[in-house]
Each structure stands twice: as C-alpha cells, then as structure tokens.
Amino acid sequence: RAGAPGTDRVVGIGMDSTELGVDPASFVDAYRTAETAGLRLTAHQGENSPAVDAATAVDVLRVERLDHGFSVLEDPDPTERLAQRRLAFTVCPNANVRINPDRFEHLSDHPVARMREAGLLVTLNTDDPALIDLDLTEEFTRTAEVFEWTWEDLVSLSLDAVDAAWLDDDERRRLRDRVNAGAALAAKTAI
C-alpha cells in the first residue's frame, strides 16, 4: 500500500525460486503495475528454464536484469541482442555448483566465462549467502582462480556491476570512481 512504512526503500521487484513450469508472461500484470509505479524490474530466469523464457522475461515483462540467465547461450539471437543492449545478468557460479551439483559438477563447468566472452554484462553474486555459506570475496576468488581471470578482469567485473546497479547517474559515477580508485590503490600496493 502506498505510504506504508518501508515503501520508500523499495526500488524494484523480481520473481524468484523455481522457474520450472512457470510461464514468465503470467506475471505481466504485476510487472506493468510495478513499472508504472517507477520500480526497477528483474526476473529469476534462465537458470533452469530455456532461453525462450529468459527472452520472454526481457521482451514481455521488460526486465532490466536477469538473475542467472545463462540459458540464453542456447540461442544466439537473445545472446547477441542482450549483449548489444547491455542487459545485466546477476550470475552466481559457486552457488550454482553448490545448489545444483547435478548440473555443474565443477565450477569449471559453469558458463560464466562463455557469457563474458559473448559480450554479456555479467556481474558476480552470492545468490543466498546464509544458505550456502558463501560471501562475495569467496565468489570472486574461486571464480577467478578457476577461469584464470586477471586483476584487470576482476576490476572489469566490478565496473560492470556498477553499470548494472540500480543507481542514478550521479551515484553510479561516484561508485565507479571509488572502484577505480580502490583498484588503482590495490594494484599499486601489491607491487
């Protein structure tokens, strides 16, 4: 309800949990209401749903971000289109391995590197840190080790996360400056 305590802290909506057997288009009314209210839009799609469902979330629900979303790699059309659009993907490689070991036996099996190579705007995330005992530092460290990412790759991922953040342009610029300054200081200190 408008004006309820805490509503001033709500910036967006999304759908979570299982994607199996769920047509994302069935949520269109809720997403249009949220969009009309000025909320940002995301959807948990493309983790265990096909590329067509991830594309539906983008095209029908008009989401700005896909949580997981790696199934888009199954189809070059949405992959190319979403790469050009710079639609954000919140990807959780280590969490996917811990939660879905049948799908990803090893972290090296995860498509996060292929997503980046395809030009998708990928951000690293923890998914559910309390459930899987994982923090963002560990996510970055383990993923970087397995995929042999450089310091520059990690800084690039951090800057991509700034681009994906639901911030206004001024806040985004300030955060980008902080990431660049921190990265420069860390690189200088490490020498």
Side-chain angles (χ1 to χ4, degrees):
R1 133 182 99 87
T7 56
D8 59 319
R9 294 189 312 260
V10 176
V11 297
I13 68 157
M15 63 175 80
D16 279 327
S17 195
T18 186
E19 304 163 6
L20 298 175
V22 177
D23 177 7
S26 67
F27 293 92
V28 70
D29 291 341
Y31 274 77
R32 286 300 69 72
T33 299
E35 185 179 46
T36 300
L39 296 176
R40 309 299 294 264
L41 309 175
T42 190
H44 191 288
Q45 284 296 318
E47 180 181 30
N48 53 22
S49 62
V52 67
D53 286 348
T56 296
V58 173
D59 299 334
V60 176
L61 301 181
R62 299 197 291 252
V63 300
E64 308 163 70
R65 182 177 81 197
L66 285 172
D67 300 333
H68 302 288
F70 47 78
S71 73
V72 300
L73 293 174
E74 298 167 0
D75 186 338
D77 175 60
T79 300
E80 291 171 19
R81 189 165 47 92
L82 299 179
Q84 289 174 357
R85 183 172 162 184
R86 298 276 294 156
L87 185 115
F89 289 77
T90 59
V91 182
C92 313
N94 286 281
N96 289 145
V97 170
R98 290 182 185 184
I99 293 170
N100 297 309
D102 294 338
R103 182 161 190 178
F104 304 114
E105 186 175 347
H106 303 286
L107 184 56
S108 59
D109 299 330
H110 196 280
V112 64
R114 288 188 297 125
M115 293 175 79
R116 293 189 75 226
E117 290 164 8
L120 295 171
L121 175 62
V122 171
T123 66
L124 288 183
N125 303 271
T126 57
D127 207 8
D128 193 339
L131 175 68
I132 57 173
D133 190 31
L134 179 73
D135 64 30
L136 194 54
T137 299
E138 187 177 4
E139 182 71 55
F140 266 75
T141 302
R142 287 177 180 225
T143 306
E145 287 171 357
V146 167
F147 292 106
E148 299 179 354
W149 287 343
T150 65
W151 174 253
E152 291 76 19
D153 291 326
L154 297 178
V155 172
S156 174
L157 276 162
S158 298
L159 291 171
D160 283 347
V162 172
D163 288 345
W166 289 347
L167 301 170
D168 66 35
D169 290 341
D170 196 43
E171 291 172 310
R172 185 174 288 110
R173 182 192 48 75
R174 284 196 304 270
L175 185 54
R176 183 175 267 292
D177 289 346
R178 284 183 60 197
V179 169
N180 281 321
L185 180 61
K188 182 177 160 183
T189 305
I191 293 177

